[in-house]
Amino acid sequence: MFRTWLVTAIILISMSCSMRPQLTHEQEMQKFKDVKFGMFIHWGLYSVPAGRWKGEYDRGIGEWIMNHQRIPVKEYEQLAKQFNPVKFNAETWVQLAEDAGMKYMVITSKHHDGFAMYDSKVSDFDIVDATPYQKDPMKALSKACAKHHIKFGFYYSHAQDWHEPNAAGNDWDFPEERDYSIYLRNKAIPQVKEILSGYGPLFLIWFDTPRLLTEADAIELGNLVHQLQPACLVNSRLGFDQGDYEQMGDNAIPVEPYEEKWEIPATLNDTWGYKVDDDNWKNPKDLIQKLADIVSKGGNYLLNVGPTAEGLIPDESQVILREIGQWLKVNGESIYDTEMSPFYYSDLIWRCTTKPGKLFFHILNWPGTELKIPGLESPVKKAYFLANSDQVPFVQKGNSVTFSLPPKALDDRNTVLVAEIDDQTAKVEPGYRYNDPHNVNIMYAREGRMRGEDLKYDWESQSCTNFIDTPSPVNELFWYTYHLTEGDYQVDIEYACPDESAGSVIRFIRAHGLHEDIETIHGTVEGTGNQFEIKRLGKITVPPNQRHILLKFGLDDGKSADIKVRKVILTKIN
Ligand code: FHN
């Protein structure tokens, strides 16, 4: 009896110390599905140069400055002396995450530059030993997260470490052959042990850019995490299809709903680490819609902030995140703990999330006075707007339900309409289900990933523009599609181009990943008097058993940069 009491007391005391109840791996997995929205933080020495090196602007993502500029290790190490984040306040950061409606936080314990943002005993290249700050901010952050019931996890770069001769990535200091296992044994494994031991129960370890390591190495690292913290999740960038959930490409939202457990890491502007010159901020409406889109397709959104070297999260990021949080305060029921859409999406008007007996229609583009949902077999009992509970009249005939809407959106960013249905799980007619193969597949620019710093989305014409010709990263529009079946597809593109800027060569690529182009077709941009027209480009072939396909659109020169691309249509021809 006394023993039972003692054990219970110890558990309760340890729970209240960490203020984080210890869950099982399965429970954490379920949590991961339910939380939907998290804060990613890229913070490190790169926030000192903040995207400028020796007075020059450094193109591309800020945390890669050491690599872009091929900065020697000895010179990069000097940045530590200038890193003194005296304005860092863990409570303020976590409060921001809470205000934004974010339920978990993932921060860089060590990025590719090799600098540990926590007190590492394995290397002196860390925040406590190498900077005037001399404190471990991760301790304060993990505590503040526990206090606010925000789940806490670490990013760890397990393959690239530009500080180390045997890790991947630095060929300017270390051009010679390398032995990854030396780095793995001497730095990566011991540091992963440190972060799993000193910061309470972790929600997840977020590995990145698996290179050089073998499948056995990946399995060993994954096992290590689960031995030290059985409940802790691991993302799939551990490598070799290991990990507990699938990590999608950066900013890469799938075109259709996708049934695995997955997460999208994404930026608020064009960088992860702080860049003083990057003011290409996404607007809150865009992000609120992306959150609904991702959740409706079955995923989580991990949205990044890049704090400054002083320890401040840029004001612009704060304003954007708080607006998302205000929307979530009213509409959170349609996001958290929901399941993905049972429907196929043929346009950009609405997205759907579900709970037992309820469908949440996220109206992203107000369709006028009627919203028609085809293919719903479950009888609708009641419909109302989530924001004000006002009833919405509807007519259900056959398998189509039409809701009567007021002429203007309640919320131009995303108005949520709740339909209560007779079934716990919605029944949807074949042909309208999310995973039905379709002969016509439309990829809207709105759903594409705008890669490159210059592309802009024009809301009025719902198109992507400014395809200027630049070195890496090139300006390309990407689509990630998961349900294209084997066969040949005709490719048509809808665009508008002023006659005087016609002439650039279009490239449309079927790729395997970011760096593996498989099939490229070319065409020439025609003048359309700046009116939208559908133009035939050619044909691509989708081979059997492709889990997903990356499609890229770009121009071979900047002559037609002001082309406005609205969509690409893939029509199956055999
Ligand atoms: O190279 C990194 C990059 O710096 C950043 O950390 C992103 C976040 O997903 N991951 C890698 C590129 O995919």
Side-chain angles (χ1 to χ4, degrees):
M1 181 66 187
F2 175 72
R3 256 191 83 201
T4 322
W5 177 87
L6 191 67
V7 170
T8 316
I10 290 170
I11 291 172
L12 284 175
I13 289 166
S14 65
M15 264 171 60
S16 68
C17 283
S18 69
M19 297 186 67
R20 246 177 262 159
Q22 189 70 73
L23 301 181
T24 63
H25 190 262
E26 287 65 38
Q27 286 169 326
E28 290 290 26
M29 214 53 252
Q30 183 55 44
K31 260 265 162 298
F32 179 79
K33 272 207 74 195
D34 292 343
V35 290
K36 310 293 186 195
F37 192 30
M39 177 181 273
F40 209 0
I41 306 179
H42 277 67
W43 196 33
L45 291 188
Y46 38 81
S47 61
V48 174
R52 288 183 193 168
W53 193 247
K54 308 211 160 134
E56 295 288 311
Y57 174 71
D58 179 58
R59 206 179 143 78
I61 44 185
E63 70 285 0
W64 271 69
I65 196 163
M66 178 179 179
N67 182 293
H68 295 160
Q69 301 290 335
R70 302 173 78 80
I71 303 170
V73 165
K74 288 286 161 239
E75 197 177 344
Y76 191 83
E77 279 176 346
Q78 299 307 311
L79 292 173
K81 295 188 183 139
Q82 297 169 55
F83 189 74
N84 194 10
V86 285
K87 296 190 178 157
F88 165 72
N89 182 320
E91 184 64 28
T92 317
W93 287 17
V94 175
Q95 186 60 56
L96 174 64
E98 190 176 326
D99 292 349
M102 292 163 149
K103 305 288 185 193
Y104 65 112
M105 179 180 279
V106 182
I107 184 162
T108 45
S109 60
K110 187 208 76 169
H111 203 264
H112 309 330
D113 63 357
F115 184 73
M117 287 295 288
Y118 68 96
D119 185 12
S120 176
K121 303 294 173 224
V122 176
S123 156
D124 280 349
F125 193 45
D126 75 346
I127 190 162
V128 174
D129 295 307
T131 76
Y133 188 61
Q134 295 183 345
K135 287 191 285 271
D136 181 343
M138 302 302 152
K139 291 266 183 225
L141 263 183
S142 80
K143 256 201 204 131
C145 278
K147 182 176 144 206
H148 287 257
H149 303 287
I150 295 217
K151 300 186 87 52
F152 184 69
F154 278 127
Y155 172 109
Y156 187 85
S157 177
H158 63 313
Q160 292 201 72
D161 188 320
W162 305 327
H163 192 257
E164 305 302 325
N166 286 299
N170 182 344
D171 57 7
W172 55 98
D173 283 296
F174 313 117
E176 52 287 328
E177 281 263 306
R178 55 202 68 213
D179 180 350
Y180 173 77
S181 67
I182 295 179
Y183 159 74
L184 179 70
R185 309 263 149 240
N186 295 347
K187 188 166 179 185
I189 288 181
Q191 286 200 327
V192 169
K193 283 184 182 161
E194 286 181 332
I195 57 178
L196 279 157
S197 317
Y199 302 87
L202 296 184
F203 185 35
L204 53 88
I205 299 276
W206 213 99
F207 292 110
D208 205 2
T209 62
R211 297 189 192 165
L212 294 184
L213 75 167
T214 62
E215 185 166 8
D217 296 335
I219 292 172
E220 184 180 345
L221 261 180
N223 286 344
L224 172 72
V225 174
H226 292 137
Q227 270 154 24
L228 291 175
Q229 291 206 22
C232 180
L233 309 181
V234 172
N235 70 339
S236 65
R237 288 198 198 167
L238 172 59
F240 296 94
D241 283 331
Q242 298 294 314
D244 297 306
Y245 67 90
E246 191 166 340
Q247 198 68 67
M248 300 311 207
D250 300 345
N251 292 299
I253 306 176
V255 175
E256 319 89 350
Y258 178 57
E259 49 284 270
E260 301 299 320
K261 291 189 179 69
W262 53 272
E263 174 189 64
I264 293 203
T267 50
L268 280 179
N269 48 1
D270 290 324
T271 182
W272 304 90
Y274 178 64
K275 270 184 98 172
V276 67
D277 296 305
D278 187 341
D279 55 5
N280 195 15
W281 301 101
K282 299 186 175 76
N283 71 45
K285 170 176 169 171
D286 186 9
L287 297 162
I288 289 166
Q289 295 201 349
K290 285 196 161 87
L291 173 63
D293 189 32
I294 290 168
V295 173
S296 88
K297 290 171 178 171
N300 280 14
Y301 200 16
L302 185 63
L303 200 49
N304 183 72
V305 293
T308 65
E310 283 188 304
L312 296 174
I313 295 179
D315 287 345
E316 293 87 341
S317 308
Q318 297 197 32
V319 171
I320 296 170
L321 292 183
R322 291 214 164 83
E323 185 171 335
I324 301 175
Q326 281 155 8
W327 181 87
L328 276 166
K329 266 215 166 74
V330 177
N331 297 286
E333 193 196 332
S334 66
I335 296 289
Y336 306 119
D337 308 317
T338 57
E339 297 291 330
M340 67 183 218
S341 170
F343 298 100
Y344 161 79
Y345 298 135
S346 62
D347 56 39
L348 298 173
I349 295 174
W350 56 276
R351 294 290 177 259
C352 179
T353 53
T354 72
K355 277 187 177 161
K358 278 185 186 174
L359 296 173
F360 300 95
F361 292 106
H362 299 255
I363 311 177
L364 307 181
N365 287 294
W366 204 250
T369 52
E370 280 189 347
L371 174 71
K372 189 169 175 185
I373 307 291
L376 179 62
E377 292 178 332
S378 301
V380 175
K381 296 191 297 191
K382 187 177 166 191
Y384 53 94
F385 291 120
L386 188 57
N388 60 8
S389 305
D390 277 3
Q391 297 289 313
V392 177
F394 62 90
V395 177
Q396 190 164 19
K397 262 201 212 134
N399 286 338
S400 161
V401 56
T402 305
F403 300 97
S404 300
L405 303 178
K408 275 189 77 186
L410 265 67
D411 186 333
D412 170 51
R413 300 162 303 180
N414 175 358
T415 303
V416 180
L417 186 161
V418 188
E420 293 190 3
I421 52 173
D422 247 348
D423 297 310
Q424 287 293 291
T425 308
K427 294 200 181 84
V428 176
E429 192 185 339
Y432 297 95
R433 295 179 187 158
Y434 74 91
N435 52 359
D436 289 334
H438 285 88
N439 284 341
V440 179
N441 299 270
I442 303 178
M443 262 110 24
Y444 294 93
R446 175 81 191 97
E447 295 195 296
R449 166 186 178 190
M450 296 192 295
R451 193 158 184 273
E453 301 186 351
D454 309 289
L455 294 184
K456 297 273 176 282
Y457 187 72
D458 177 42
W459 284 81
E460 210 177 309
S461 61
Q462 304 237 335
S463 64
C464 181
T465 189
N466 210 29
F467 288 84
I468 57 177
D469 189 26
T470 53
S472 169
V474 290
N475 290 306
E476 282 179 333
L477 191 54
F478 284 21
W479 290 274
Y480 297 81
T481 164
Y482 285 78
H483 295 303
L484 278 187
T485 48
E486 169 185 6
D488 293 335
Y489 291 81
Q490 176 182 294
V491 181
D492 295 305
I493 302 189
E494 187 182 10
Y495 63 79
C497 182
D499 295 336
E500 58 281 11
S501 43
S504 280
V505 173
I506 298 173
R507 54 174 186 278
F508 187 75
I509 300 168
R510 177 169 66 80
H512 193 55
L514 210 55
H515 308 290
E516 209 186 320
D517 294 352
I518 297 182
E519 186 183 5
T520 305
I521 52 177
H522 288 108
T524 305
V525 176
E526 293 173 32
T528 66
N530 217 12
Q531 301 302 308
F532 280 93
E533 286 180 23
I534 293 178
K535 299 278 182 190
R536 175 120 330 144
L537 190 66
K539 194 190 86 174
I540 58 159
T541 304
V542 173
N545 307 322
Q546 297 291 293
R547 195 180 60 78
H548 81 274
I549 292 164
L550 167 59
L551 299 164
K552 310 182 191 175
F553 171 92
L555 299 179
D556 272 359
D557 64 65
K559 185 166 188 300
S560 312
D562 55 352
I563 181 177
K564 291 195 181 103
V565 179
R566 189 180 276 164
K567 60 181 186 257
V568 171
I569 306 154
L570 298 187
T571 310
K572 196 154 188 193
I573 43 185
N574 61 58

